Amino acid sequence: MNDRSLREVDIKIKNNNFAKTKFEITAASEIMAIFCLAKSIKDLRNKIDKIIFGYDSNEKPLYVKDLQITDSVVSLLKDAMNPNLVQTLEGNPAIIHGGPFANVAHGCNSIIATKLGMNLGDITITEAGFGADLGAEKFINIKCRLNDIKPNAIVIVITTKAIKMHGGVKLENLKSANIDALKKGIILLEKHIKNIKNFNLNYIIALNHFIDDSENELNFLEN
């Protein structure tokens, strides 16, 4: 079900004539989103059955179950239902499982992985991609509701470069210290904090420190 290799495809038509084509990622992203929201193989099968792929001449929705291919799709995904346990550079366990895009899906890893982490450890940290205004809201509104969980806190990760860019600094100048740009760009962080407060959740600001960050900029953000 991995579509990455199909983004650019060379096809042979006839008489050694070739053409370039591609598969769009939207359909594969829907499978990934369903996969990450499924609580079991049975739940996965039920969700795939209900995928609408088109409409007939009477505007009646057509479902994957109408094609009678659900078992084939599930058989391709059955081994993928097992989460992957890896080790971080700091020696901590991490469960890598699923990756739906936040721009066309909900941007969170699987329910199975999160539940597994919560059962195995005292503290579970999971990622919701693309900021507090997209990934975090989808995590809370979709994944948490389906999973019947409520986070104790939200970690907002920031960098000096991101804030300076929102303060008007061009990409090629981001490595240069610029307190004025931080003062302008800090409203971005304030907006993310406001979004989290709307859910009545605690928040933690984590500064991703890079080697070329200036001490003055770090002190400004910390204060």
Side-chain angles (χ1 to χ4, degrees):
M1 303 302 293
N2 186 351
D3 71 315
R4 185 171 295 275
S5 60
L6 302 178
R7 292 184 179 182
E8 298 291 339
V9 182
D10 291 323
I11 61 172
K12 182 178 180 181
I13 304 174
K14 62 178 180 179
N15 298 328
N16 291 323
N17 292 320
F18 293 87
K20 289 185 176 294
T21 186
K22 63 181 180 178
F23 287 82
E24 299 296 339
I25 67 170
T26 306
S29 295
E30 182 173 6
I31 295 290
M32 176 66 82
I34 290 171
F35 170 83
C36 286
L37 292 174
K39 299 177 181 179
S40 64
I41 283 286
K42 182 179 180 181
D43 189 30
L44 176 67
R45 193 188 193 289
N46 291 335
K47 284 178 166 57
I48 291 175
D49 262 344
K50 297 174 183 177
I51 294 176
I52 297 175
F53 67 87
Y55 295 84
D56 63 15
S57 57
N58 296 318
E59 296 299 320
K60 180 182 177 182
L62 300 172
Y63 298 91
V64 166
K65 63 182 179 182
D66 299 326
L67 300 176
Q68 299 182 6
I69 63 169
T70 305
D71 287 337
S72 298
V73 175
V74 172
S75 68
L76 290 172
L77 295 171
K78 63 180 179 65
D79 291 332
M81 290 294 286
N82 298 318
N84 305 288
L85 178 63
V86 301
Q87 181 173 284
T88 67
L89 292 175
E90 293 80 15
N92 298 314
I95 300 172
I96 310 298
H97 199 222
F101 296 115
N103 54 346
V104 293
H106 63 290
C108 308
N109 73 335
S110 73
I111 283 178
I112 292 175
T114 299
K115 281 289 190 180
L116 179 61
M118 293 174 66
N119 288 331
L120 293 177
D122 296 327
I123 299 174
T124 300
I125 300 174
T126 186
E127 181 188 10
F130 289 177
D133 54 344
L134 180 60
E137 292 194 19
K138 289 185 174 182
F139 169 77
I140 296 167
N141 288 326
I142 299 175
K143 182 176 178 180
C144 286
R145 291 183 182 183
L146 289 175
N147 213 10
D148 194 27
I149 58 174
K150 181 179 180 180
N152 297 105
I154 299 292
V155 180
I156 303 175
V157 182
I158 64 172
T159 64
T160 60
K161 293 182 177 63
I163 294 178
K164 284 190 291 187
M165 179 172 282
H166 282 272
V169 177
K170 293 184 179 180
L171 180 63
E172 58 269 21
N173 298 323
L174 287 178
K175 290 185 177 181
S176 300
N178 193 327
I179 299 295
D180 289 335
L182 287 178
K183 292 179 180 178
K184 294 178 182 178
I186 202 70
I187 59 173
L188 168 73
L189 176 59
E190 292 172 350
K191 179 59 178 176
H192 285 304
I193 292 174
K194 181 180 178 181
N195 288 342
I196 298 305
K197 284 184 175 180
N198 288 335
F199 292 100
N200 295 316
L201 291 172
N202 300 315
Y203 63 90
I204 301 166
I205 307 299
L207 176 59
N208 196 356
H209 185 188
F210 290 87
I211 192 171
D212 51 4
D213 290 339
S214 76
E215 289 299 321
N216 289 337
E217 289 180 327
L218 295 176
N219 290 333
F220 170 80
L221 291 176
E222 290 174 359
N223 296 324

